[in-house]
Amino acid sequence: MKRSKGKRKLKVKHVIAAIIFIYGLTIIINQHKMIERLNNEKMKKEAKVEKLEKEVKNIEAKTKESKTEEYIEKIAREKGMIKSNEIIYIDKNKKKNDFLRRINN
């Protein structure tokens, strides 16, 4: 009878050890999956930050350009504005004249 108690204790120890091993393995696998997911999220967010930084630089460059005299004059001319001392020559024979169309509107 002593042997059966000894074997039973040995089996219980093996079962407990197996449960602890499986539990630990499960924790490790779950942590690995979580780390992978977090790394993917990090890479996506870093790419988004890079894209936004480029966009900010682009906006800053456009803002800087928009303060120049040449840019302001270009926009004014696109809207049909002229300088006070300018003489305008219009070719009436030209079928498509953007400047006339802007003045008439």
Side-chain angles (χ1 to χ4, degrees):
M1 285 198 34
K2 286 186 177 182
R3 286 188 175 178
S4 64
K5 283 186 180 182
K7 286 184 180 180
R8 186 178 272 180
K9 284 184 181 180
L10 188 62
K11 287 182 181 179
V12 171
K13 286 181 182 179
H14 281 92
V15 170
I16 291 173
I19 291 172
I20 291 172
F21 177 76
I22 292 171
Y23 179 72
L25 191 61
T26 306
I27 289 173
I28 291 171
I29 290 171
N30 287 335
Q31 285 179 346
H32 180 70
K33 287 180 182 178
M34 187 186 325
I35 289 170
E36 255 185 62
R37 182 180 52 82
L38 291 173
N39 282 335
N40 287 338
E41 284 180 29
K42 180 183 174 187
M43 287 187 341
K44 287 178 184 177
K45 291 189 188 248
E46 285 174 348
K48 189 175 182 178
V49 165
E50 236 177 80
K51 181 182 174 188
L52 290 173
E53 284 174 347
K54 286 180 183 177
E55 192 175 324
V56 165
K57 285 181 182 178
N58 189 19
I59 290 171
E60 286 173 347
K62 285 183 179 181
T63 302
K64 199 173 193 179
E65 179 191 3
S66 71
K67 293 178 182 177
T68 63
E69 197 69 33
E70 294 84 16
Y71 181 79
I72 293 169
E73 185 176 340
K74 177 186 167 200
I75 297 300
R77 290 198 180 277
E78 287 175 1
K79 296 190 182 257
M81 297 179 179
I82 57 171
K83 292 181 179 180
S84 60
N85 59 351
E86 264 185 324
I87 299 172
I88 302 172
Y89 296 95
I90 301 172
D91 184 4
K92 290 186 178 184
N93 294 327
K94 192 174 179 184
K95 291 181 181 179
K96 188 177 181 181
N97 193 323
D98 293 334
F99 186 75
L100 278 177
R101 195 171 341 128
R102 283 184 278 179
I103 292 175
N104 293 331
N105 288 335

